[in-house]
Amino acid sequence: MCPTPSVRRKARCRRAFSCQERIEPSKKEAAVTQPDYELDVRPIIAKGGEPFGAIMEAVATLAPGQGLRLLAPFKPVPLFHVLGQRGFEPTAREIGNGDWEVTFRPATGEQNSGAEVSAPVQSVDPSTWPEPAVELDNRGLEPPEPMVRTLEGVEALTSGQTLAALLPREPLFLFEELEARGHLWRGSFEPEGHYRILIRRS
């Protein structure tokens, strides 16, 4: 007996769904197995530049499931927190001569690359802040020492005290870390070209 038209249509539908089920996993697998995007920030830092912008631009171009392979002249610990907030997990290894290779891979299939660095809402009028209890000059230090030294100084303060620091460049990584710890800050470039930041401990 020949199959009726309705039976033939059902058979075609079953075959179509079966093919779709076989194809879709391969598409997902292809997205996950894309090669990592490689970014070498050593030349930027060697010229005295700030690599944060280049790193964030690279993160913004990543495809779903794609990782970032970063080469830096030091272990970029502050970046672990910054990209961790965007859903990435770091794997770091030293590759010699003080250089590090860090691979950031998404912990899930999605990451938020659109977050921007911004100062928190100043709940206390900065004009009422006390004079700095500590003043640091970090201009001659190599990364990440300016940030590490500044954070150590802030954590040594008591609540409400302030610290002033001179830095060789605008400390974008530091902004993220201060926000995560709940501290307030204000800062600006000085006429000499360096950056001065005033931080109030929470």
Side-chain angles (χ1 to χ4, degrees), residues 5 56 69 167:
M56 291 299 103
R69 179 173 175 263
L167 303 165

Side-chain angles (χ1 to χ4, degrees), residues 54-198:
I55 294 171
M56 291 299 103
E57 287 179 7
V59 170
T61 65
L62 296 179
Q66 188 177 21
L68 172 67
R69 179 173 175 263
L70 183 72
L71 300 174
F74 56 86
K75 188 176 182 180
V77 176
L79 193 60
F80 295 175
H81 173 74
V82 174
L83 294 188
Q85 290 186 319
R86 290 160 174 77
F88 289 90
E89 294 181 347
T91 301
R93 70 184 184 94
E94 192 170 5
I95 57 177
N97 298 321
D99 293 343
W100 284 78
E101 175 193 83
V102 184
T103 302
F104 295 92
R105 290 198 173 91
T108 62
E110 299 179 358
Q111 62 264 8
N112 176 18
S113 60
E116 297 180 353
V117 177
S118 59
V121 175
Q122 302 288 356
S123 57
V124 180
D125 183 358
S127 65
T128 66
W129 291 6
E131 290 297 313
V134 178
E135 297 199 23
L136 301 175
D137 188 347
N138 296 332
R139 290 174 293 180
L141 302 178
E142 293 294 325
E145 285 304 312
M147 176 173 173
V148 171
R149 190 164 181 251
T150 301
L151 288 173
E152 288 177 348
V154 172
E155 295 306 319
L157 300 175
T158 59
S159 179
Q161 285 188 314
T162 63
L163 173 148
L166 299 178
L167 303 165
R169 59 182 65 87
E170 187 176 14
L172 299 179
F173 289 143
L174 180 61
F175 294 160
E176 290 267 0
E177 192 62 29
L178 291 173
E179 184 172 2
R181 300 186 186 196
H183 304 316
L184 302 177
W185 77 89
R186 57 178 177 174
S188 62
F189 284 100
E190 298 289 286
E192 297 82 1
H194 57 263
Y195 195 89
R196 185 177 188 273
I197 187 169
L198 182 65

Side-chain angles (χ1 to χ4, degrees), residues 20-78:
Q20 185 178 16
E21 290 173 357
R22 289 196 298 270
I23 292 172
E24 286 184 352
S26 64
K27 289 181 179 179
K28 293 179 181 178
E29 183 179 355
V32 172
T33 56
Q34 289 193 58
D36 296 329
Y37 183 99
E38 182 173 316
L39 177 63
D40 188 347
V41 299
R42 291 174 295 183
I44 298 175
I45 295 175
K47 295 178 181 178
E50 170 57 62
F52 187 81
I55 294 171
M56 291 299 103
E57 287 179 7
V59 170
T61 65
L62 296 179
Q66 188 177 21
L68 172 67
R69 179 173 175 263
L70 183 72
L71 300 174
F74 56 86
K75 188 176 182 180
V77 176

